[in-house]
Amino acid sequence: MARRKQELSGSKTAMSLATRFTLSMTLALTAVMTAAGVALYSSAAKVTASVQANALVDAVRMTGANQKIDSELKRLEIERALLESVEKFVATNYPGKADFTKLRNELKTMWGTRTTQKADLELSLPWRQVEGEPAIAYDAEIKRIPIEIGSTKAKASLLRYSTGERASDFDLLTPFSTVEAENELLGVIIAIIVAAIGVGALVSVVVASQASRPIVAIADDVRHIATGDLAHTTRARGVHEVNVLARSIDRMAADLSAAQEAKLELSVREREIALVSEVRESLRPNATPGHAGYEFAALGMSAANLGGDFHDFISTPGGQVGLLVCDVSGRGLPGTLVGATARAYLRAELTGRDDLREALFHVNRELARDVRRGMYVSALYVLLDPKTHVVRIACAGHKIPLLHFVAATGKVTLVQPEGIALGFDKGPIFESRLELAELKLEPGDRLTIFNSGPAVLVNSEGKEFGEKNLYAQVQRHGARSSDEFLDRLRSVLESYADGTALERDISILTSRRV
């Protein structure tokens, strides 16, 4: 389980896809944005310096031109004022004199000329205040006036310093537009954005390629597994998630293979159970014999764990009736087949031979030859002659003896002649050890034989029913009719088991002299 968890969790040192993608994008974008920041700072510094230099140059140029005009206007104003003053002086001090009248006319002409020149200069000023846009006052002395430059009416600003004394007034013209600098900075920003997008896209393609290659390989592996090759293992190796997916697919394939094998095994087991059930049904007695003066009956209880144990009634050509119970060493289909083989040999020999010992000898030789080493069949056979009431008993290694209920005393005696199991030895030992026993039945006497099933029956606490308890039940109910006797035994056994599954089949055969 721990190994499976480790396989599913992947390598502890493997980097997850999310971590790799995040780290790659972070490093790439960090590099790009660092370079972009440096480039942007350098470009902004250059643009700022350029804007500042251009603004200063333009301000100096415009202010110089304006100052030149202002100086010329002041000179003309001074000259006009001087001429006006001289003209007034002459008119006052020398009235009526021709020469001075001529001088006055010349002075007036010069004064008018200066006035005209001043008007022309005022008309040729390089700027005009923009109508409808108010000036912005920064404080009591400085304010900004929106203006238009020349005939093109380019936007600009005039910074005016004024203290109320005309001699200290000062005007500074500054350019208003920085479109070229803005365009240059915008171009740098766009280039940086495009570079960042390009690097991000490239990193995404690289990471996606790294992720897609193992996933495509896994898809190929899955298609290969889907063809039925569940032993195929994935070849893909990559990030943590890919490794986990690959290991999960390998585990899934292994589980499917195990499930397929289990399904096949279950199918075989189901067929085996069906076959065993059919064979076991064939092992049941065909009919219960009936003879005047005797009751014959059988009880069979099937276990879930199928085996080859069986019981049978055998009628001989001489009118005798045989009661047979057998335990088979194997379980499942092998045990059932051995049981079926043993039953066929026993029925053939016990009905075809008068000599009981020779019949069992022949069955043992045939069975020892046919079954594999280690398998055997224990048997208890009771041959009853209804005419003479004499019973002969043969025991081939059977664990539970014959129980003889004696009606006259109400006691039970055990009869178990010596013998080893059928098929255990090929002949000499079996034949030397086999003994027969004989007894005679009186009215009311009962014979009962069992397989080992009733004795090994367990209750819910795991305790076996046991042979002694079995003997006690036979003694308690032996005087009843055979059908009632078996009903009582069944009720006792079922009550003891209390729902616990049977370990072995239960076979009980009984005969009572009426």
Side-chain angles (χ1 to χ4, degrees):
M1 180 62 71
R3 182 179 179 183
R4 180 172 183 176
K5 288 182 178 178
Q6 184 177 3
E7 289 178 353
L8 292 178
S9 63
S11 174
K12 294 182 179 178
T13 59
M15 186 182 296
S16 69
L17 182 60
T19 302
R20 171 176 284 192
F21 184 80
T22 301
L23 185 59
S24 301
M25 289 299 294
T26 301
L27 292 176
L29 291 178
T30 299
V32 171
M33 297 311 295
T34 300
V38 172
L40 186 59
Y41 175 79
S42 177
S43 299
K46 290 179 180 179
V47 169
T48 301
S50 175
V51 169
Q52 185 178 14
N54 292 334
L56 289 175
V57 170
D58 290 342
V60 169
R61 181 181 296 112
M62 289 187 296
T63 302
N66 185 68
Q67 190 68 27
K68 182 178 179 181
I69 293 174
D70 282 348
S71 298
E72 188 65 20
L73 287 173
K74 289 178 181 179
R75 184 184 65 79
L76 290 175
E77 180 66 23
I78 292 171
E79 288 182 357
R80 189 190 68 80
L82 179 60
L83 289 174
E84 183 180 3
S85 178
V86 171
E87 187 271 333
K88 287 180 179 180
F89 177 79
V90 171
T92 302
N93 293 306
Y94 303 98
K97 293 184 177 183
D99 293 337
F100 287 99
T101 300
K102 181 179 179 182
L103 176 62
R104 283 184 62 202
N105 292 333
E106 290 178 357
L107 289 172
K108 285 183 177 180
T109 301
M110 292 176 64
W111 174 29
T113 301
R114 298 297 184 268
T115 302
T116 303
Q117 289 177 347
K118 180 182 178 183
D120 292 339
L121 285 173
E122 288 177 348
L123 290 174
S124 63
L125 283 173
W127 58 270
R128 294 287 187 275
Q129 183 173 355
V130 179
E131 296 180 0
E133 293 188 17
I136 301 174
Y138 293 106
D139 54 32
E141 298 176 345
I142 300 175
K143 63 181 179 180
R144 178 185 291 273
I145 301 171
I147 62 173
E148 295 175 346
I149 302 296
S151 60
T152 60
K153 297 184 178 181
K155 299 293 184 180
S157 296
L158 184 142
L159 293 175
R160 174 163 290 172
Y161 175 77
S162 176
T163 61
E165 298 179 1
R166 186 172 178 79
S168 61
D169 289 352
F170 176 77
D171 290 341
L172 176 64
L173 277 71
T174 59
F176 182 78
S177 177
T178 56
V179 174
E180 293 181 357
E182 291 175 353
N183 290 339
E184 182 179 351
L185 186 59
L186 179 61
V188 173
I189 294 174
I190 292 175
I192 291 172
I193 293 174
V194 171
I197 293 174
V199 172
L202 180 61
V203 173
S204 299
V205 169
V206 172
V207 175
S209 177
Q210 292 177 348
S212 64
R213 279 197 299 269
I215 291 176
V216 170
I218 287 178
D220 291 337
D221 292 330
V222 171
R223 282 194 291 270
H224 193 85
I225 292 172
T227 61
D229 185 8
L230 298 180
H232 179 78
T233 57
T234 56
R235 300 159 296 167
R237 298 294 181 271
V239 295
H240 174 74
E241 289 85 351
V242 173
N243 290 336
V244 170
L245 180 60
R247 298 288 73 77
S248 298
I249 291 174
D250 288 342
R251 176 57 59 184
M252 178 193 69
D255 291 343
L256 286 175
S257 179
Q260 191 176 61
E261 292 178 0
K263 182 179 179 180
L264 180 60
E265 183 178 351
L266 179 61
S267 177
V268 172
R269 178 64 175 166
E270 288 175 348
R271 290 196 296 271
E272 178 180 322
I273 291 174
L275 179 59
V276 168
S277 299
E278 292 178 5
V279 174
R280 188 167 65 173
E281 286 298 321
S282 68
L283 294 178
R284 296 184 184 278
N286 295 328
T288 301
H291 282 275
Y294 279 89
E295 297 173 346
F296 294 94
L299 171 64
M301 299 172 65
S302 299
N305 186 16
L306 303 178
D309 299 351
F310 63 94
H311 61 275
D312 200 3
F313 291 107
I314 298 175
S315 297
T316 67
Q320 298 172 321
V321 178
L323 288 73
L324 175 67
V325 291
C326 293
D327 280 342
V328 179
S329 60
R331 310 300 297 167
L333 183 60
T336 304
L337 293 178
V338 170
T341 302
R343 180 174 183 269
Y345 286 148
L346 286 167
R347 287 184 66 86
E349 294 297 328
L350 293 175
T351 57
R353 294 178 184 269
D354 294 331
D355 191 330
L356 180 56
R357 287 173 57 85
E358 284 297 326
L360 294 176
F361 289 167
H362 188 73
V363 170
N364 176 69
R365 286 192 293 267
E366 294 296 328
L367 200 61
R369 183 187 63 190
D370 291 343
V371 302
R372 69 171 183 262
R373 185 177 181 84
M375 294 196 72
Y376 57 88
V377 177
S378 70
L380 180 60
Y381 184 62
V382 177
L383 184 61
L384 169 63
D385 188 344
K387 297 178 181 178
T388 62
H389 312 298
V390 174
V391 179
R392 289 189 297 164
I393 305 102
C395 179
H398 200 68
K399 182 179 179 181
I400 309 297
L402 166 70
L403 274 63
H404 177 204
F405 174 77
V406 181
T409 63
K411 304 292 184 181
V412 172
T413 60
L414 308 180
V415 183
Q416 191 175 28
E418 188 176 355
I420 65 172
L422 298 166
F424 195 79
D425 169 70
K426 293 184 178 180
I429 299 177
F430 179 85
E431 294 172 6
S432 65
R433 299 286 296 275
L434 184 66
E435 295 181 356
L436 299 180
E438 187 174 298
L439 59 85
K440 186 173 183 179
L441 293 179
E442 300 296 334
D445 287 0
R446 177 182 297 282
L447 299 177
T448 308
I449 58 177
F450 305 82
N451 72 338
S452 60
V456 299
L457 175 69
V458 296
N459 59 13
S460 57
E461 298 177 356
K463 185 178 179 181
E464 290 187 351
F465 189 75
E467 293 182 30
K468 291 184 179 180
N469 198 7
L470 189 61
Y471 305 156
Q473 295 299 324
V474 172
Q475 181 174 328
R476 179 179 301 173
H477 304 293
R480 299 176 182 274
S481 67
S482 293
D483 290 339
E484 188 176 358
F485 170 74
L486 292 181
D487 287 342
R488 293 285 181 173
L489 289 183
R490 177 191 287 273
S491 178
V492 169
L493 293 174
E494 289 178 346
S495 177
Y496 186 83
D498 192 22
T500 304
L502 300 179
E503 293 290 336
R504 299 183 68 99
D505 293 345
I506 292 178
S507 296
I508 304 176
L509 272 70
T510 189
S511 175
R512 175 174 174 267
R513 182 179 175 185
V514 180

